[in-house]
Amino acid sequence: MSKHKLNYIEQLESEAIYILREVAGQFERPALLFSGGKDSTVLVKLAEKAFRPGKFPFPLLHIDTGHNFPEALAFRDELVKQTGEKLIVRHVADTIKAKKLSEPKGKFASRNALQTYTLLDTIEEFGFDACIGGARRDEEKARAKERIFSVRDEFGQWNPKLQRPELWNIYNGKIHKGENVRAFPISNWTELDVWNYIKKENIALPSIYFSHERECVLTPSNQLVAVSDYIQIDKTDTMVKKQVRYRTVGDMTCTAAVESKATTIDAVIAEITASQISERGETRIDDKVSEAAMEDRKKIGYF
């Protein structure tokens, strides 16, 4: 009798589960970065496959900017309740107050860059030596430079020129005191792969990933930013009500919606298949500050 040959999605799943188990085996205090977004939700499903019926060998960790979509936070809390796993939440607002940091100003001011301070403080607080993230190489140019095991120095900084080779699925987790690793189990996945896996596993997601009506500000670059208490509304702004959905979930201040009629997973997959723009390229305002905006943030400790 012939053995079952894994299809493409099953191969990605198998690789991700292997990486999660490598993290659990090689590190003493890992954590899984969880925001309630689709990629980190897929990581939770993969962790269930990797470690059930036991508990996860790491807590879930959310660095909360305070500018989140309410739907994502409600989903986060419901998922934690259903899984019974431990959730640690640390707030950027507390870091701003404690460190007397200056918040960015402007119309769509984002706390994303300030997340780095809270994350590094949390890593030190709990002694985490590895943080599992849902970043993918297809999202953005800087993330394409990441290894699966991406080493950060004792200051939390990332140097893309000093990363280790990863040959034959061998991941080197050996680190010196004070260093830590960011591990990316779905680094080789694309946005389309994630959605095909969501369909295959029937994974629940926050409602904002599907078409709904929302009042938005139309930016000069024709991006749709949700009206919220976190953005500055001017009299000259063009306000529109549109059927939209979100391709990625970040701060309400810097994450744009896309016009969409997709109310089902199949419809979302069809939209992504037809799109020629990456999810971050189309929806993340803070990545457009400069050509190297993401890389600059990552070098000082960003996700």
Side-chain angles (χ1 to χ4, degrees):
M1 185 170 63
S2 62
K3 293 183 179 180
H4 170 68
K5 186 176 181 180
L6 299 180
N7 63 33
Y8 178 62
I9 293 297
E10 289 171 334
Q11 289 176 26
L12 290 175
E13 177 191 68
S14 178
E15 177 189 54
I17 290 171
Y18 171 74
I19 292 166
L20 285 168
R21 289 172 175 165
E22 283 292 297
V23 173
Q26 294 196 44
F27 297 97
E28 294 182 5
R29 293 187 181 89
L32 191 155
L33 300 171
F34 181 71
S35 64
K38 68 181 187 309
D39 299 315
S40 57
T41 300
V42 163
L43 284 180
V44 170
K45 169 58 72 173
L46 291 165
E48 287 181 324
K49 293 202 172 192
F51 304 113
R52 290 293 190 240
K55 299 283 286 184
F56 293 176
F58 39 69
L60 307 181
L61 170 62
H62 184 203
I63 303 300
D64 185 348
T65 64
H67 292 168
N68 298 284
F69 288 89
E71 297 95 330
L73 290 181
F75 176 84
R76 177 201 70 184
D77 293 341
E78 180 60 26
L79 184 141
V80 169
K81 181 180 177 181
Q82 290 178 1
T83 61
E85 296 298 333
K86 180 180 179 181
L87 172 68
I88 296 170
V89 180
R90 288 295 180 268
H91 300 275
V92 174
D94 293 338
T95 307
I96 292 171
K97 184 177 180 180
K99 293 183 177 292
K100 296 181 172 57
L101 301 176
S102 297
E103 288 206 52
K105 306 296 183 183
K107 188 169 188 61
F108 303 114
S110 169
R111 288 177 173 176
N112 268 3
L114 300 183
Q115 284 180 290
T116 299
Y117 296 97
T118 310
L119 175 63
L120 296 181
D121 284 350
T122 306
I123 287 172
E124 182 177 3
E125 177 186 355
F126 290 95
F128 293 135
D129 51 4
C131 290
I132 304 162
R136 307 185 323 271
R137 287 174 176 149
D138 72 317
E139 289 181 89
E140 201 275 340
K141 290 182 291 185
R143 285 183 165 169
K145 298 179 181 181
E146 291 275 22
R147 299 291 195 265
I148 301 294
F149 277 18
S150 184
V151 179
R152 265 56 171 182
D153 66 20
E154 64 270 26
F155 303 106
Q157 297 175 332
W158 172 66
N159 186 337
K161 295 180 180 180
L162 296 178
Q163 298 301 312
R164 299 161 181 173
E166 293 178 337
L167 307 174
W168 306 292
N169 291 332
I170 297 174
Y171 304 112
N172 181 1
K174 185 177 176 62
I175 56 175
H176 298 291
K177 185 176 181 180
E179 294 178 336
N180 65 84
V181 163
R182 308 289 166 78
F184 302 111
I186 61 171
S187 187
N188 289 328
W189 298 39
T190 65
E191 181 187 12
L192 188 57
D193 294 332
V194 168
W195 277 98
N196 279 322
Y197 190 72
I198 289 166
K199 177 181 177 180
K200 175 179 176 291
E201 297 296 325
N202 193 28
I203 298 172
L205 292 175
S207 59
I208 59 175
Y209 279 109
F210 302 96
S211 180
H212 59 285
E213 186 178 77
R214 191 179 287 266
E215 186 177 19
C216 300
V217 177
L218 182 64
T219 72
S221 57
N222 290 319
Q223 289 181 302
L224 295 166
V225 180
V227 173
S228 72
D229 294 336
Y230 312 127
I231 67 171
Q232 176 185 316
I233 305 295
D234 300 319
K235 292 181 179 179
T236 56
D237 283 334
T238 301
M239 313 294 289
V240 295
K241 276 192 175 181
K242 296 281 188 179
Q243 288 294 126
V244 300
R245 71 175 190 87
Y246 288 86
R247 292 178 67 180
T248 184
V249 174
D251 272 13
M252 294 188 76
T253 56
C254 64
T255 306
V258 295
E259 288 194 63
S260 172
K261 295 181 180 179
T263 58
T264 66
I265 293 176
D266 284 334
V268 170
I269 288 172
E271 276 192 356
I272 295 169
T273 302
S275 176
Q276 296 182 345
I277 306 174
S278 73
E279 61 189 280
R280 291 192 72 97
E282 186 172 23
T283 66
R284 292 305 287 269
I285 295 172
D286 55 336
D287 286 347
K288 299 181 183 297
V289 175
S290 73
E291 281 291 318
M294 170 65 83
E295 184 160 337
D296 291 341
R297 293 200 301 272
K298 289 178 73 64
K299 283 180 177 178
I300 61 171
Y302 188 71
F303 305 143

